[in-house]
Amino acid sequence: MTILPSPLQQHSADRAPVAGPWIEDHGYVGDQRGSALVRRDGCIPWLCLPRFDSAAVFTSLLGAEQHGFWQIAPTMLMDGTAIPASGRQYAGNSLILQTTWSYGGNSAVVCDFMVPGGGAPRLVRVVTGLSGTMTMRSLLRARPDYGCTVPRIAKVDRLHAIDLPEGDGGRLWLDADTPVHLEWGDLVSDFTVTAGQTVAFGLSWREGVDSPPPRPIDDGLLKFTLDFWEAWAARCTYAGPDREAVVRSLLTLGALIYAPTGAIVAAPTTSLPEEIGGVRNYDYRYAWLRDGALTAGVLRKYGYLSEALAWACWAVQASHSETGRRQIMYGVGGETELPEMELGWLPGYERSAPVRIGNAAADQLQVDIYGELAIEFYNLTQADNSWARRLGSVIVALAEEAEQLWDQPDSGIWEIRGPERHFAGGHLPPPPVQIHAPDLAPVDVAVLRVLAGISRDAELPVELRPTGTFLDYVDGLRERCAARTDAHLIALAAAWDLLPTLTSLATAKEQQ
């Protein structure tokens, strides 16, 4: 297979040569359950279904071709005989990715999408001729369980059934309205399209090995998916500058929602490195409470209150604990056990190893999550008063839990793997937001504001670390600010101007 160089690869002089396309050369498609990445050369090197955290079927993103991919492109490109011109875009305000190919007077477009809704998870690829005649090839190399399994493939009528490992609980089905043959473990199809002619492929997941095959590919799937996302985007209430970019960003956030539960994943991938060649390569296909709260706040603000409330329901249910300490993340189904392991057979993106699945940081203490949750829960009660009773008691519980933990060292928002420390984000107040605490009783929001932290990963100097009771700590900060002898606190007082309000509200709380 020949990899099509992107413009970034050809012209970027400030980056070292790499073996494959840049991360930013991948387009994203999803159905609010699972996800796939599509490269500029028509190759899908990453696919997880039926869930974001399911074992990947295609994993060449983190390895090589032997670890699985699915490419649909002009035959001349895949044979290496010529490089046709290409371009791509999303269809309107949707997650339908269109890749256009042209060579001479011949051209075709490939539409890639995952079908949203409650049906069987399905990745669909539709090739349509635009002009002349384009000879195309589809090459699907399924390698379940993150590229370590060569599956058994059986032909059933015009479909192909791809067996998944026993623990994955399902089977993949490839449907196509053009002949497909099995070639050394790959599913291959060579075909041509003329102007107006369409050839469609569908890869579906069905639960259980005895489940019936999916219904044939329907011409209406493309329209259904387009209408779904167009309607979702139309709910956006933002009317300021760069609306198109804002809508596209919201669509991306919307695609990270796991619709069956309302959870919001941090990312659809695992082990893409923080720096090339580095070892901080972690699995982000889980739902962080902090990230979810911030994302829910954006959704709430711009017309997606129902999605924000669905997240709140999930967060309350998933994070409830009899131990008085909430995890920082959970599985999209509320799972608490996210055991971390390394996949030694994968070399990693641009050889950034190790590749990990699961996330051991789930067991970390990060004190600021209590504040982030309380702030968004409170804001949701202001957006919909009917939720005040349901979320008010949760906010009180968060305050009670936080009061037991607020002075403890933690792992910080960047999840340091090592000894816990006193990070600023766990003890000092963030920039002010609009919160009118008297609307809730008892008034616990003030305490939580001190605990919340946004992007403050600095370790606190010894003289600023918590001592005594919460109120004593706040009073001490005020006195030092008033004396203007401490550079750290002078900066805090000037930037936030919150300490007088916090102290008065905290005093009121202790007098209750």
Side-chain angles (χ1 to χ4, degrees):
M1 181 180 68
T2 301
I3 295 176
L4 174 65
S6 74
L8 283 174
Q9 287 175 285
Q10 293 171 323
H11 302 300
S12 179
D14 58 346
R15 297 182 64 165
V18 296
W22 308 119
I23 292 175
E24 58 264 34
D25 280 345
H26 294 80
Y28 176 68
V29 297
D31 61 358
Q32 294 191 320
R33 290 175 294 178
S35 63
L37 298 182
V38 187
R39 290 196 320 223
R40 292 182 182 272
D41 62 355
C43 178
I44 295 178
W46 181 257
L47 171 66
C48 294
L49 47 73
R51 297 185 5 161
F52 292 106
D53 57 354
S54 297
V57 177
F58 309 137
T59 319
S60 61
L61 175 72
L62 303 175
E65 292 180 2
Q66 70 194 62
H67 299 115
F69 66 94
W70 184 9
Q71 186 174 22
I72 296 181
T75 305
M76 67 182 76
L77 173 69
M78 297 178 69
D79 285 345
T81 58
I83 300 179
S86 68
R88 66 176 180 173
Q89 63 182 6
Y90 285 101
N93 288 324
S94 79
L95 286 177
I96 299 174
L97 187 63
Q98 299 174 319
T99 303
T100 303
W101 299 98
S102 61
Y103 190 82
N106 310 303
S107 61
V109 60
V110 181
C111 293
D112 294 318
F113 60 95
M114 297 181 74
V115 183
R122 178 177 289 189
L123 170 64
V124 178
R125 314 193 74 180
V126 180
V127 185
T128 303
L130 299 178
S131 62
T133 300
M134 285 291 287
T135 301
M136 306 287 291
R137 177 175 295 165
S138 168
L139 174 56
L140 188 155
R141 181 173 296 165
R143 294 294 184 266
D145 205 9
Y146 302 100
C148 74
T149 301
V150 178
R152 187 180 76 89
I153 302 176
K155 196 173 190 314
V156 181
D157 297 327
R158 74 170 192 173
L159 288 79
H160 286 83
I162 305 170
D163 287 349
L164 298 176
E166 184 175 344
D168 289 352
R171 171 182 278 177
L172 294 176
W173 293 86
L174 177 66
D175 187 14
D177 47 23
T178 190
V180 176
H181 65 275
L182 187 60
E183 185 178 301
W184 297 100
D186 299 334
L187 290 169
V188 182
S189 176
D190 291 290
F191 59 97
T192 60
V193 288
T194 57
Q197 183 181 5
T198 294
V199 173
F201 298 80
L203 184 65
S204 304
W205 180 89
R206 300 283 284 182
E207 185 174 7
V209 296
D210 297 325
S211 60
R215 293 183 302 171
I217 301 173
D218 189 332
D219 291 341
L221 290 177
L222 179 62
K223 183 179 186 303
F224 171 82
T225 302
L226 179 63
D227 290 346
F228 176 91
W229 289 114
E230 289 278 11
W232 198 91
R235 292 165 52 198
C236 175
T237 58
Y238 177 78
D242 301 314
R243 175 180 163 80
E244 182 178 354
V246 171
V247 171
R248 177 51 55 188
S249 296
L250 287 167
L251 282 166
T252 303
L253 294 179
L256 295 177
I257 296 172
Y258 183 67
T261 64
I264 304 173
V265 297
T269 52
T270 180
S271 300
L272 292 180
E274 292 188 8
E275 59 179 359
I276 301 302
V279 298
R280 289 180 59 83
N281 318 320
Y282 299 117
D283 194 344
Y284 293 107
R285 298 172 298 160
Y286 304 113
W288 270 250
L289 294 182
R290 178 195 305 105
D291 299 51
L294 297 174
T295 302
V298 173
L299 294 171
R300 166 184 50 78
K301 184 176 180 180
Y302 293 117
Y304 301 95
L305 179 60
S306 60
E307 284 83 351
L309 290 171
W311 166 82
C313 284
W314 170 85
V316 170
Q317 183 175 1
S319 68
H320 175 74
S321 173
E322 299 297 335
T323 66
R325 173 172 164 177
R326 298 171 197 251
Q327 293 184 189
I328 66 169
M329 74 179 88
Y330 298 87
V332 294
E335 296 85 0
T336 58
E337 299 295 327
L338 307 176
E340 183 174 298
M341 64 179 294
E342 297 181 1
L343 306 184
W345 62 87
L346 292 171
Y349 176 81
E350 295 188 20
R351 298 203 168 274
S352 300
V355 170
R356 298 180 176 94
I357 58 172
N359 201 310
D363 297 326
Q364 290 184 351
L365 173 64
Q366 295 179 22
V367 181
D368 71 284
I369 65 170
Y370 292 91
E372 301 293 3
L373 283 176
I375 292 167
E376 185 52 34
F377 287 168
Y378 174 81
N379 288 334
L380 286 169
T381 67
Q382 300 306 292
D384 185 342
N385 291 334
S386 68
W387 284 74
R389 182 178 297 274
R390 280 176 281 184
L391 291 179
S393 61
V394 179
I395 294 174
V396 172
L398 287 168
E400 293 173 348
E401 295 167 23
E403 286 177 332
Q404 303 301 314
L405 299 169
W406 76 276
D407 59 348
Q408 299 298 308
D410 65 9
S411 297
I413 66 173
W414 296 119
E415 298 167 8
I416 301 301
R417 301 287 180 104
E420 294 179 335
R421 309 174 190 175
H422 287 282
F423 289 99
H427 305 305
L428 299 177
V433 297
Q434 294 299 317
I435 283 189
H436 305 289
D439 292 341
L440 287 176
V443 183
D444 286 291
V445 175
V447 177
L448 292 163
R449 296 297 290 127
V450 173
L451 302 176
I454 303 175
S455 298
R456 295 195 310 283
D457 57 343
E459 186 174 4
L460 284 175
V462 174
E463 64 271 17
L464 293 188
R465 294 178 185 175
T467 57
T469 67
F470 167 76
L471 188 57
D472 289 340
Y473 180 59
V474 173
D475 282 341
L477 294 180
R478 289 193 67 205
E479 291 174 2
R480 296 175 67 176
C481 282
R484 294 189 173 274
T485 58
D486 191 304
H488 295 286
L489 290 175
I490 291 173
L492 290 175
W496 298 331
D497 194 26
L498 277 178
L499 293 176
T501 301
L502 286 168
T503 301
S504 62
L505 289 175
T507 302
K509 177 185 181 302
E510 293 202 353
Q511 291 173 350
Q512 288 180 347

